[in-house]
Amino acid sequence: MTHKHVDAVIVGAGFSGLYAAHRLRDQQGLSVQGFEALSGPGGVWHRNRYPGARCDFESVYYSFSFDEDLQKEWRWTERFAAQPEILAYLEHVADRFDLRRSFQFDTRVTSAVWQEDADRWEIHTDDGTVTTARYFINAAGAFSVSKPNDFPGQDDFAGTVAHTSHWPAGGVDLRGKRVAVVGTGSTGIQVIQTIASEVGELTVFQRTPNFACPLGNRPMSDDEFAEVVADYPRLRAESRARLAGAPYPQAERPALMDTADQRQKTYDQYYDGGGFRMLTSTYYDLITNPAANETAAEYIRGRIRQRVNDPKVAELLCPTNHPYGVKRATFESGYFEAFNLPNVHLVDARSTPIERITGKGIATTDREYEFDVIILATGFDVGAAGLLQMGVVGRDSRKLADHWSDGQRAYLGMATHGFPNLFHINGPQSAAALFNNPIAIEDSVDFVGGIIARADGAGCARVEASESAETRYNELVREVAGATLFPTATTWYMGDNINGKPRTPLSLFTGAPMYRAICAEVEATGYAGFSFDQDEQPLSSLVQVDGSAVFLLAGMMNIGAKPLEECNLEETRAAIEMFQAFQAPLPSDVAITEVDFPETSDGRKLRLYRPTSAQGPLPVVLFVHGGGWIGGSLDSFNEPCATLAHNSGALVVSPDYRLAPEHPFPAAVEDTLAALRWVADNIAAHGGDPDRIAVGGESAGANLAAVAAQQSRGENGPRLTAQVLVAPVTDPVVETVSRKLFANGPVLSMEVCARMGGMYVTDPADLASPLIAPARATDLSGLPPTLVLTMGVDPLRDEGEDYARALADAGVSAEARRFEGLIHTTLSMSGAIPRAAEIQQAMATFLVPLFSPNAATTTADV
């Protein structure tokens, strides 16, 4: 038995393993031992040699970017390279960087056990070697294990059975043969279109048809390649900022905003564009909005019907039981035309399922078919199935298989709690399903290399994901999936293709930019969520955020929306107005009217929201919109105000007010107070009760409401029944923990806060005025009952909660409620963030009892 000691063991010699070996060995100076079960490098591209195998990202993007000379010297011959060329490329990479010497090929890992006393992994391989290592790197890939054959009788078949992922090295002679292909996913489509004209007779067994779009492959000219090479720096940077990890045009509109003719032109443009453009470059709501998705789905069905001569066959090839794009997008080159050939037949294996493989061929519930060759294109056990076969045992003798009994999960797709110093490259719950893999792999390896360097530099023996980080990230992945249409389909994305496999999202469905932002934030905050020798780092902001909000923010990244920090005034105002697109539909039982604001002559309005079913004089809520004093409008808060009226039974009044910097402080305060006086003097004529008035608002609007409540005490204004403050600004210059924790947002950062405040306040001395900082008022007594609602991931969180405590200390009935995981502006994005309904319900629950005729209309007891 041979014993060896190294810094890192790497399992797998595909894209992941090769770059991991280069990074750790050549750039970080670690000793590395790699193991690969196959006879050479290449990973899935060494194994998958079936007819027609090729990549579906352009070759120039489906390649490494870490070495400039490598990019220039490897000349891709096709737009979408075939398997032999990709394998040759990876062999070239292995030789160019002398990586073969760090790998032992034809060697399979049989066990990997964490040695508690030594803080090392003990790795056993099938040749009897024992290797100990500080770090164990899982680079086996998500497609290293084939899906087991579900059909009995394979050994009875007299002919040849070949699985696409284990294609015989010498190939299979198909010329003139009777051939069956079982499966019509990406692999099946590639095989079918390639062999249709070669075989004697081809029978395709299809259970689920796929939305396949033209790949658009062609030879790559010298000029075209030279143009890409010259522009590689920009293209690579752009790739990492785009949804799929390739520089495809960004979708900028929702599908239903266009007319049918406009959508037709858009789909015509991208259907033949090649790669993932049809999914990523047309409309940004295809994987969230069923109606939008159906426009793309029906377009593709229409193209299938045009291309297949037999209408019955065409309909069988048209997917109808799942939305477009929620199974992995597939691509083809003459696939549908293959069914026009007289020797190609289609069997609907859903209506007549396969029962077994027989001695002669395949038996369905309808009949038995005779074949010479059966090709199983049934896919993979996607995820970390390869690692599970290695007998991995972590701390406290816990088996990885037991840890994943409810579904594979890994923090950031890279680390698993209870398994120190084990790192996955593009592992379970990474963003790999929607992220061009070679680029995603580089990012993953670089992150792992960074955390190893951090641990080594600090002399740490153990690094692992904390339990809280793994749990929360798993929740985040599930929440993001829930914001999409992915769970509506039976798909390997959800683990559905393997019998008995727990159903859980195997990927973070945000696209590349958000995933990269999460990883960057974790790294920038000292590897938040990781434990270094049991010193656990707290979670970073984005990991804490509700998944629907993360998905919304990801969508904004994917369409190229500027961060507010980079926006000028007009762009900021436009961004705030864009929140309307993310709001739920207005309740149908609320009537909306407008009246002129008589104190001014500049055309501003007060918008009134009245529940149509309510009787008698109604309680009133003056609700002031947010927007940092510089943006926002009646339109931007239309839905929040209408929903508040619906939930509370109150007449809600939304005031328009002058915005900075054109109208700096105290214009907004003056307008809010004028609106409150108008309500007190005029609301009875509109069905409101002037003796039951509350004020409220969100963000800067909550600030104005709080100021108005203070100014209305005593004889200065109407006696208020309540105030409701959502994510309020109460002290622009106070230093709080939340302002530090969430200084960079998301959405609202301290930089944006400072810029907005600077436009609102021309004299910094005014920042201490209670008219801007209501928390600094010398007397907080006599204010109405108050509800302060704060968002858990918001720099303004703590000052709102501090204000509620200060009110209570002054004898005011005040309470604060925090919504963990929600972000600033959640209230105005109710359609995209369903938990906004919790905020609305909390406001109504607080207000309704206070508005009761039996309730006191002045300050309640503490």
Side-chain angles (χ1 to χ4, degrees):
M1 180 180 292
T2 302
H3 291 265
K4 188 174 183 178
H5 305 279
V6 294
D7 293 317
V9 160
I10 300 171
V11 181
F15 274 101
S16 297
L18 293 177
Y19 183 54
H22 172 66
R23 164 81 191 221
L24 297 180
R25 187 194 72 182
D26 300 337
Q27 297 182 7
Q28 294 185 215
L30 302 183
S31 57
V32 168
Q33 175 61 63
F35 295 110
E36 170 56 67
L38 301 173
S39 60
V44 70
W45 295 108
H46 186 285
R47 182 184 297 108
N48 284 8
R49 299 167 182 256
Y50 60 84
R54 67 176 64 247
C55 61
D56 48 21
F57 279 97
E58 286 88 340
S59 313
V60 292
Y61 309 136
Y62 192 82
S63 54
F64 286 124
S65 68
F66 69 86
D67 187 272
E68 185 176 350
D69 291 337
L70 175 63
Q71 293 186 130
K72 293 178 180 178
E73 70 193 22
W74 184 265
R75 170 65 166 89
W76 295 103
T77 64
E78 292 184 278
R79 189 182 182 201
F80 296 89
Q83 178 270 337
E85 186 169 9
I86 300 173
L87 178 59
Y89 169 75
L90 290 171
E91 290 173 334
H92 171 76
V93 171
D95 293 334
R96 189 185 190 284
F97 296 98
D98 191 23
L99 298 175
R100 291 180 192 265
R101 66 179 171 87
S102 290
F103 282 89
Q104 189 171 316
F105 297 101
D106 293 312
T107 306
R108 189 175 297 276
V109 171
T110 57
S111 72
V113 180
W114 175 253
Q115 302 299 311
E116 199 77 25
D117 295 338
D119 290 330
R120 283 178 171 264
W121 285 94
E122 184 175 285
I123 315 295
H124 290 244
T125 50
D126 58 2
D127 65 346
T129 298
V130 177
T131 305
T132 58
R134 288 188 294 148
Y135 301 106
F136 181 33
I137 311 298
N138 168 31
F143 300 95
S144 60
V145 176
S146 301
K147 177 184 176 181
N149 178 15
D150 294 332
F151 312 115
Q154 178 174 331
D155 293 339
D156 298 335
F157 183 53
T160 301
V161 177
H163 197 293
T164 50
S165 64
H166 294 286
W167 199 257
V172 179
D173 183 9
L174 301 175
R175 289 171 298 179
K177 300 289 180 65
R178 298 170 300 170
V179 178
V181 175
V182 180
T184 54
S186 295
T187 299
I189 287 172
Q190 290 179 335
V191 170
I192 291 161
Q193 67 192 19
T194 303
I195 69 173
S197 60
E198 172 188 349
V199 302
E201 192 171 21
L202 174 61
T203 303
V204 176
F205 291 83
Q206 171 192 270
R207 187 172 63 179
T208 304
N210 268 295
F211 289 102
C213 296
L215 182 63
N217 190 38
R218 51 177 165 72
M220 196 172 195
S221 69
D222 290 339
D223 289 345
E224 189 177 9
F225 181 74
E227 184 178 342
V228 170
V229 168
D231 204 23
Y232 251 140
R234 182 189 65 82
L235 291 172
R236 295 299 196 179
E238 198 171 280
S239 293
R240 287 181 159 90
R242 296 294 170 88
L243 166 62
Y248 300 142
Q250 292 169 310
E252 297 179 348
R253 297 166 64 82
L256 301 183
M257 183 177 287
D258 279 355
T259 66
D261 287 344
Q262 289 170 328
R263 286 195 298 271
Q264 177 81 22
K265 291 178 181 178
T266 297
Y267 291 142
D268 283 346
Q269 177 183 357
Y270 290 111
Y271 175 76
D272 292 310
F276 289 84
R277 291 168 177 82
M278 180 70 182
L279 182 61
T280 65
S281 301
T282 53
Y283 298 105
Y284 64 64
D285 58 346
L286 294 186
I287 62 170
T288 59
N289 185 333
N293 188 283
E294 180 59 20
T295 67
E298 185 55 29
Y299 174 88
I300 298 173
R301 294 186 200 111
R303 297 299 291 262
I304 294 171
R305 295 177 184 119
Q306 291 172 3
R307 295 171 59 184
V308 179
N309 296 338
D310 186 329
K312 292 182 180 179
V313 174
E315 289 307 312
L316 284 177
L317 291 168
C318 287
T320 57
N321 69 341
H322 64 277
Y324 166 57
V326 300
K327 289 177 175 285
R328 193 176 193 285
T330 55
F331 303 94
E332 50 80 31
S333 300
Y335 170 70
F336 294 109
E337 285 76 9
F339 292 93
N340 296 330
L341 298 175
N343 66 321
V344 178
H345 315 288
L346 181 63
V347 175
D348 181 6
R350 183 170 296 276
S351 62
T352 58
I354 295 174
E355 289 189 325
R356 64 180 294 107
I357 296 175
T358 68
K360 296 180 179 180
I362 292 176
T364 71
T365 56
D366 178 56
R367 55 169 285 194
E368 182 179 14
Y369 298 81
E370 296 186 7
F371 300 110
D372 302 309
V373 179
I374 297 174
I375 299 174
L376 298 176
T378 50
F380 300 87
D381 184 351
V382 182
L387 185 66
L388 285 172
Q389 293 181 352
M390 297 178 201
V392 178
V393 180
R395 280 193 296 106
D396 303 320
S397 301
R398 182 165 178 77
K399 295 179 180 178
L400 184 61
D402 292 337
H403 187 70
W404 282 349
S405 61
D406 294 328
Q408 296 177 19
R409 62 188 188 273
Y411 180 49
L412 308 180
M414 288 188 267
T416 302
H417 175 68
F419 296 81
N421 297 6
L422 166 62
F423 296 106
H424 314 283
I425 308 304
N426 264 16
Q429 299 186 329
S430 69
L434 302 180
F435 192 172
N436 177 18
N437 271 205
I439 303 300
I441 285 165
E442 287 184 336
D443 286 355
S444 183
V445 169
D446 288 344
F447 184 96
V448 169
I451 200 169
I452 288 175
R454 155 76 184 269
D456 288 352
C460 292
R462 302 182 182 194
V463 182
E464 66 178 285
S466 68
E467 183 175 14
S468 61
E470 182 180 84
T471 299
R472 173 57 205 146
Y473 185 77
N474 181 50
E475 293 171 349
L476 175 64
V477 170
R478 291 171 179 268
E479 291 165 1
V480 167
T484 74
L485 299 176
F486 287 107
T488 66
T490 301
T491 167
W492 64 255
Y493 282 159
M494 300 293 297
D496 293 322
N497 65 325
I498 303 297
N499 292 332
K501 190 173 185 177
R503 191 169 204 263
T504 189
L506 288 174
S507 187
L508 179 69
F509 298 127
T510 60
M514 173 53 76
Y515 176 71
R516 298 188 73 248
I518 291 172
C519 292
E521 183 182 73
V522 167
E523 183 175 3
T525 51
Y527 293 98
F530 284 93
S531 173
F532 293 82
D533 285 349
Q534 298 183 333
D535 180 14
E536 184 175 324
Q537 308 303 303
L539 295 179
S540 61
S541 299
L542 287 170
V543 173
Q544 297 181 52
V545 173
D546 180 81
S548 60
V550 167
F551 187 77
L552 170 64
L553 297 172
M556 295 173 72
M557 290 181 176
N558 293 337
I559 66 174
K562 276 187 179 181
L564 289 178
E565 290 79 7
E566 299 176 12
C567 291
N568 59 32
L569 176 61
E570 292 308 312
E571 290 170 334
T572 300
R573 287 174 171 170
I576 294 171
E577 292 302 311
M578 189 176 69
F579 293 161
Q580 297 174 62
F582 307 121
Q583 293 175 359
L586 299 182
S588 60
D589 62 345
V590 175
I592 304 174
T593 58
E594 288 185 356
V595 298
D596 292 327
F597 203 171
E599 281 76 7
T600 66
S601 59
D602 57 7
R604 284 182 293 113
K605 302 284 186 180
L606 292 172
R607 190 170 289 178
L608 281 61
Y609 302 81
R610 181 187 177 91
T612 56
S613 60
Q615 301 296 320
L618 302 181
V620 183
V621 181
L622 179 73
F623 198 85
V624 189
H625 71 74
W629 303 288
I630 68 168
S633 67
L634 299 184
D635 289 339
S636 66
F637 267 68
N638 207 36
E639 184 276 329
C641 290
T643 301
L644 178 58
H646 169 81
N647 289 348
S648 66
L651 176 60
V652 175
V653 180
S654 177
D656 201 0
Y657 58 90
R658 290 171 290 171
L659 300 176
E662 295 89 345
H663 304 283
F665 171 80
V669 173
E670 294 169 349
D671 293 346
T672 304
L673 291 172
L676 183 55
R677 287 192 297 269
W678 182 93
V679 168
D681 295 341
N682 300 280
I683 203 63
H686 297 273
D689 184 352
D691 292 326
R692 289 184 293 165
I693 300 173
V695 294
E698 189 258 3
S699 189
N703 169 273
L704 294 170
V707 170
Q710 290 186 9
Q711 294 298 302
S712 295
R713 280 180 297 188
E715 301 301 322
N716 294 327
R719 298 176 69 83
L720 299 177
T721 301
Q723 64 174 335
V724 179
L725 310 177
V726 182
V729 183
T730 62
D731 190 344
V733 295
V734 70
E735 292 186 6
T736 64
V737 172
S738 63
R739 286 188 173 223
K740 295 177 182 177
L741 285 176
F742 311 121
N744 296 319
V747 179
L748 184 68
S749 67
M750 291 312 302
E751 179 184 340
V752 171
C753 286
R755 184 187 306 164
M756 289 176 167
M759 285 189 273
Y760 178 53
V761 180
T762 56
D763 184 354
D766 286 335
L767 291 172
S769 167
L771 296 178
I772 294 175
R776 291 181 178 263
T778 56
D779 181 12
L780 296 177
S781 65
L783 290 171
T786 302
L787 175 66
V788 179
L789 302 177
T790 62
M791 308 301 112
V793 187
D794 181 0
L796 305 186
R797 182 193 70 192
D798 291 354
E799 66 194 81
E801 294 171 3
D802 289 345
Y803 188 55
R805 281 189 288 269
L807 290 173
D809 291 343
V812 176
S813 176
E815 61 177 290
R817 178 177 173 186
R818 180 188 297 182
F819 294 91
E820 297 292 357
L822 295 187
I823 60 175
H824 204 79
T825 71
T826 292
L827 181 63
S828 56
M829 295 188 287
S830 55
I833 308 178
R835 286 186 59 202
E838 297 176 23
I839 303 172
Q840 287 281 10
Q841 190 56 54
M843 290 193 289
T845 300
F846 175 75
L847 289 171
V848 168
L850 294 173
F851 283 148
S852 169
N854 299 323
T857 57
T858 57
T859 306
D861 294 333
V862 178

